[in-house]
Amino acid sequence: MTFIWFCLISYGLTQIIVYGKIFDPIRPTKGKLGQLLECPMCTGFWVGVFLWFVNDYTQLFTFDKSMITGMLLGFAGSAAAYIGNMIFGDYGFRIEQKIVSDRSKNE
């Protein structure tokens, strides 16, 4: 259950940082930081590392202070952000349909 909380919080915080209107006036749009903050996977990694760093201040999840654990939680935060973005969109669940042309059916 601890890891589920971590993934949900990581996904939510990443969504707010990357897409939240409240950050529009201060979110950089150019340079390396601008590229980082427009990519949910990249931001999700750093959100995961941030959550590992502040885990002493919450009882929702607790992880050890090993640097390897921090890096692995960064990867988990990135994966949670990516999976969340692939499943959910602005209007609920994303439902995409791949249309196969007649030409590709015959090949």
Side-chain angles (χ1 to χ4, degrees):
M1 192 64 184
T2 297
F3 189 67
I4 293 171
W5 275 117
F6 175 84
C7 288
L8 287 172
I9 293 167
S10 182
Y11 169 69
L13 185 55
T14 300
Q15 289 296 103
I16 291 169
I17 292 172
V18 173
Y19 300 114
K21 296 278 187 216
I22 195 167
F23 289 118
D24 282 350
I26 60 171
R27 185 182 304 117
T29 57
K30 296 180 183 173
K32 296 288 183 193
L33 192 56
Q35 288 177 341
L36 170 77
L37 293 177
E38 72 181 16
C39 171
M41 281 180 64
C42 304
T43 304
F45 174 83
W46 292 108
V47 164
V49 171
F50 170 77
L51 291 175
W52 163 75
F53 184 73
V54 300
N55 83 69
D56 288 342
Y57 303 101
T58 181
Q59 293 182 8
L60 288 174
F61 49 83
T62 54
F63 298 103
D64 65 47
K65 285 295 191 182
S66 156
M67 291 296 285
I68 298 297
T69 300
M71 187 174 68
L72 293 174
L73 290 174
F75 297 151
S78 178
Y82 178 76
I83 291 168
N85 276 305
M86 292 296 107
I87 294 174
F88 302 108
D90 288 343
Y91 304 105
F93 286 103
R94 287 185 184 213
I95 299 172
E96 297 178 6
Q97 181 179 5
K98 186 173 182 178
I99 299 173
V100 180
S101 69
D102 290 334
R103 182 176 180 208
S104 64
K105 286 181 186 177
N106 295 331
E107 293 179 0

